[in-house]
Amino acid sequence: MKGTMRMAGWGLVPLLVAGLQACGNGGATPQDTSGPVQCVEIPDGYYLFANGKFTPTTEDMAIELPAEVTQRDVVWINEFEDLLRQTGPEWIRLKAVDEVLFVSGEADSEEAREDALSAVRAAIVADRQLLQRNLFMVDAVSTPDEPRPPGALFMSMPHNPPLEACRTRGDQLARSEQITYEEDDTVVSEDNHRLLDALAGLTMICRDYRLEIGVHTDARGAESFNRVRSQARADAIAAYLQQQGIPASQLVPFGYGETRPIDPAQTSEAYALNRRVEFHFLDKGE
């Protein structure tokens, strides 16, 4: 299999290469196309492309290419941005992946961020065509106190993303903040709604895969109590996601209790490490 790539205007671009051949005309100059074409196999892996050359790199350096957008997407998003700038801040930026609408930009305060999001919501409600799109808004607006909000972690996701991309972003969201609960573990704290809204958006983009919500406890308390408690917490997260429009059939809430510790030590540090939530997208056969 041969691959062709066009990268005008890019500097260092990390790429995942598989089944690719590089072809050229030997030692001939770029202007000389009369020489024989030679092809060599490029081993599978990650590469940096710069100055016409591929240099091996690692997966950590890899980035996702921007999501595909149609000309129609560009038009309505640009029109929507123009409309918002007439009544709201000029720094607002919009991006849509399927029905997920990312609202991004740099606000100088939490109040400015809230005002901008309110302006977007009001504009959607006031426009019948936008309202009919049934958009789900993800807050990716940064502030001085939160330079990289949860929604910004997966703005580069493409349409119909591969499973590994969904798993990577799910893991990043799970590790971005600690989830707390209220009302005897049956309701997720309001402090975590922004995170779970982002998770709902990611789950919509990763609609081809089910999401396991795995909740873990530390080893303090009876094992049976910890199992019940972790299941209640997993169910609380699933209930919130369903309220945001995620079908129950796409969610697998599971309470592991204390059965899968990261650190088996009986220390406060180990307890804190073992108390966690994991968002894991499942393959179609799992």
Side-chain angles (χ1 to χ4, degrees), residues 25 27-35:
N25 57 342
T29 64
Q31 293 77 18
D32 181 9
T33 58
S34 61

Side-chain angles (χ1 to χ4, degrees), residues 150-161:
L153 295 175
F154 61 101
M155 281 186 61
S156 62
M157 290 287 281
H159 298 274
N160 301 318

